[in-house]
Amino acid sequence: MNKELRESFHRAYMTFFENAERTRRWNLFNDIDWDALDTSRGDTELATNAETFCGVELFLPDYMNTHLELFGRNYAQAWFAVNWGYEESKHSLALREYLRRSGQRTEEQLHDYADTVLAQRWERPYETPREMLIYGMIQELTTFVVYRSQRTLALKNDHQVLADVYRLIGRDEMAHTKFYQHMVALLLDDDREGTLADLAHVLRTFRMPAEQLLPDPGARTALMRSTGIDGRVYLRDIVAPTLKALHLTRHDLPGPKQPPPVPALDREN
Ligand SMILES: [Fe+2]
Ligand SMILES: [Fe+2]
């Protein structure tokens, strides 16, 4: 990595970390009003979705391994991975606590679920560090969009505590998205042509992580259905804001312009 990029990455990480420390830290035990949970009233769909997204977050050890393997020898990127991993570790815990404290899953069921999920291994979907960085950017925003839609659903059905969980973890996902966007913008400055080619490729082939690995095929289908993300939403809520944040348009992307990039997200459903 050239010196300029190395320094820019480090500044980007310090800004991210300062914001996280000053304004975004939250506490699983104090910042969610668990006492307000209505244990007499569950919601099968919301609980299944929470379990499914908890499952996606449970592959954290594999995400961390990949991140450290690819980026672990770069100061800023390695420290980001560690901080990011801490933040992500709270996401599955918050969803798990919701399921347990609301009485919709028992402790044993949750342990069994974690064992089943972790018996699988998530493999990184792209080879190069740059593709994986772009993938991280898209994945974080997709997760944010998913949690936003779950929050809306929870509020609509008067499940305030679950809505608060999604608000907190969604806010983290947006912060991660912005950090990745910053990194990709720096990569664009460094090698515009190569980065645009990788961006086009990842946008056209993106899939939710772990979509194929969740234990129950029904849960996999439910995952994509409950995200509410189809080809149209993907273009509107993920591709368009990403390009805008990078000061790009679809015309900047190399490769086939027609048909427009259609995500692999919902192909199987
Ligand atoms: Fe997360
Ligand atoms: Fe995240």
Side-chain angles (χ1 to χ4, degrees), residues 2 5 68 82 94 101 119 123 132 148 178 187 204 238:
N2 68 52
L5 202 53
L68 290 172
V82 172
R101 294 185 191 227
E123 306 279 355
M132 283 305 294
R148 184 179 60 187
K178 293 219 161 107
L187 291 176
R204 290 192 178 100
I238 293 157

Side-chain angles (χ1 to χ4, degrees), residues 28 34 54 88-98:
L28 178 65
W34 297 113
C54 183
E88 294 293 350
S89 76
K90 292 193 293 187
H91 297 177
S92 59
L93 283 176
L95 292 168
R96 184 187 199 281
E97 281 302 287
Y98 165 75

